Amino acid sequence: VPYLVTEYNGHMYPTKRFDNEERQMEHCLRHLRIQNASYLDDSISGAIGWCAFDYNTHKDFGSGDRICYHGVMDMFRLPKFASYVYKSQVSPDVEPVLEPVTFWARGERSIGGVIPLVIFTNCDYIELQYGNKTKIDKIYPKRDEYKGIPYPPIIIDYTIIKPEEVGAWGMKWEDLYLRGFYKDKEVIERKFSKEPIPTQLYVVPDDVLLDASQKDATRIVVKILDQYGNLLPFIDEVIKIEIDGPAKLQGPNEIALIGGAIAFWVETINEAGVINIKVRSKSLGEKNVMIKVE
């Protein structure tokens, strides 16, 4: 009878979306190691982690805020780095994935720097460029180390790049460029700024059409992004929400970003029409979205 692992990690290594980079990297690797081991054991039919999302709990089990930070996403369904362990296992024909586990800041980790740099990807290989000085072609996934998992990560260490090539302590910090290749064609690119600044107020609903005939709702995601479209994880700005139309807001109309992002829900009231949602940020102005209710 095939054996099914129905729970792993979770309370054994709770990790917040706004935790430091080193803890989040270890959180990723724990999920990766178990999935890899599961694939290598023919007597195991699969492994299901605990769990997808963080959740509210009681004083006897949660953190000081009574939340269990056991998920690979937070309570608002916003991804932690560990979620990319799973996202990267889809075929690149479906969606190319290129997700490095880093905030791209020299002083975030102990001792400094970003090496080793773990990159979750389903590409055949990647190309790395550090500023205008260092460029490394054809960096391949760690298939020898992770023989079981379909799409192993790429790990940049000092066998691939020298400390002086990636900005040793005291040197000038530079932008990072990553390009992913599949079947010898570039299919995805990621850029990370040496000096990120708040540039874009991202406000996107999951659904733009809701049902007036029954109880219906949708989530609206709010993020503050830098000039390259990356999340700014250290901004906890308060945003204001205004709703006009046949809907009600679930929760308060002033909420604080957590690790640069937050989400909220709007709920229909069994009336057709148009919901206009306005989100205001002190630093980046306002953004409007529209949702139809039919």
Side-chain angles (χ1 to χ4, degrees):
V1 178
Y3 187 81
L4 176 66
V5 177
T6 58
E7 183 176 332
Y8 63 86
N9 282 335
H11 74 280
M12 303 180 75
Y13 204 80
T15 303
K16 302 173 179 64
R17 189 171 58 81
F18 46 90
D19 269 341
N20 70 75
E21 189 174 301
E22 287 170 309
R23 185 171 186 89
Q24 293 207 57
M25 182 170 65
E26 176 61 21
H27 186 221
C28 294
L29 293 176
R30 289 182 179 221
H31 279 270
L32 177 69
R33 292 176 194 127
I34 292 173
Q35 284 295 320
N36 186 70
S38 171
Y39 273 99
L40 289 172
D41 192 335
D42 290 338
S43 67
I44 295 177
S45 60
I48 304 170
W50 185 269
C51 57
F53 310 113
D54 297 342
Y55 53 95
N56 289 306
T57 188
H58 48 79
K59 66 179 177 58
D60 299 324
F61 204 62
S63 293
D65 53 4
R66 301 187 183 186
I67 295 173
C68 279
Y69 292 96
H70 300 172
V72 296
M73 297 186 180
D74 71 8
M75 284 200 298
F76 300 96
R77 280 49 177 165
L78 301 174
K80 302 176 188 178
F81 286 119
S83 69
Y84 300 122
V85 173
Y86 301 93
K87 183 178 180 179
S88 63
Q89 299 313 301
V90 69
S91 167
D93 289 317
V94 175
E95 179 185 4
V97 177
L98 186 57
E99 295 289 347
V101 183
T102 184
F103 301 141
W104 195 245
R106 175 182 276 150
E108 168 67 8
R109 300 191 192 183
S110 304
I111 305 176
V114 295
I115 305 298
L117 178 59
V118 177
I119 302 170
F120 292 110
T121 185
N122 52 10
C123 295
D124 293 334
Y125 58 87
I126 70 164
E127 177 182 282
L128 178 149
Q129 184 176 338
Y130 178 74
N132 295 320
K133 301 176 182 178
T134 301
K135 183 179 177 184
I136 303 175
D137 297 326
K138 293 192 175 181
I139 308 172
Y140 291 92
K142 288 280 188 179
R143 300 193 185 281
D144 290 342
E145 187 172 348
Y146 298 99
K147 296 179 179 179
I149 201 160
Y151 297 100
I154 289 171
I155 301 178
I156 309 295
D157 57 23
Y158 289 133
T159 66
I160 294 174
I161 193 167
K162 298 176 182 178
E164 58 269 22
E165 291 178 310
V166 73
W169 194 257
M171 293 176 63
K172 186 179 178 182
W173 192 237
E174 299 286 356
D175 287 355
L176 172 70
Y177 304 91
L178 298 172
R179 300 175 184 92
F181 293 81
Y182 176 56
K183 296 180 180 178
D184 289 324
K185 293 183 180 180
E186 183 179 328
V187 292
I188 188 170
E189 181 183 41
R190 296 293 306 277
K191 301 178 182 179
F192 295 86
S193 175
K194 61 187 175 184
E195 191 176 7
I197 57 174
T199 304
Q200 178 188 354
L201 178 62
Y202 173 100
V203 182
V204 176
D206 288 343
D207 307 282
V208 294
L209 180 63
L210 298 180
D211 190 347
S213 68
Q214 58 184 330
K215 184 74 72 177
D216 204 357
T218 193
R219 179 188 68 153
I220 293 90
V221 175
V222 181
K223 302 177 184 178
I224 291 184
L225 307 178
D226 69 10
Q227 61 268 48
Y228 289 156
N230 298 313
L231 183 70
L232 288 166
F234 304 110
I235 289 184
D236 295 329
E237 184 173 324
V238 173
I239 64 165
K240 297 182 179 181
I241 306 163
E242 292 182 15
I243 291 182
D244 180 55
K248 62 181 181 180
L249 175 66
Q250 294 181 346
N253 62 1
E254 289 190 10
I255 53 178
L257 302 179
I258 302 172
I262 200 71
F264 61 90
W265 277 258
V266 294
E267 179 184 335
T268 59
I269 54 173
N270 300 106
E271 294 179 12
V274 176
I275 308 168
N276 290 295
I277 302 167
K278 182 182 293 183
V279 174
R280 284 200 180 102
S281 157
K282 186 176 181 179
S283 63
L284 291 172
E286 64 182 47
K287 193 78 173 284
N288 297 295
V289 296
M290 184 180 71
I291 297 172
K292 292 184 178 180
V293 185
E294 297 180 351

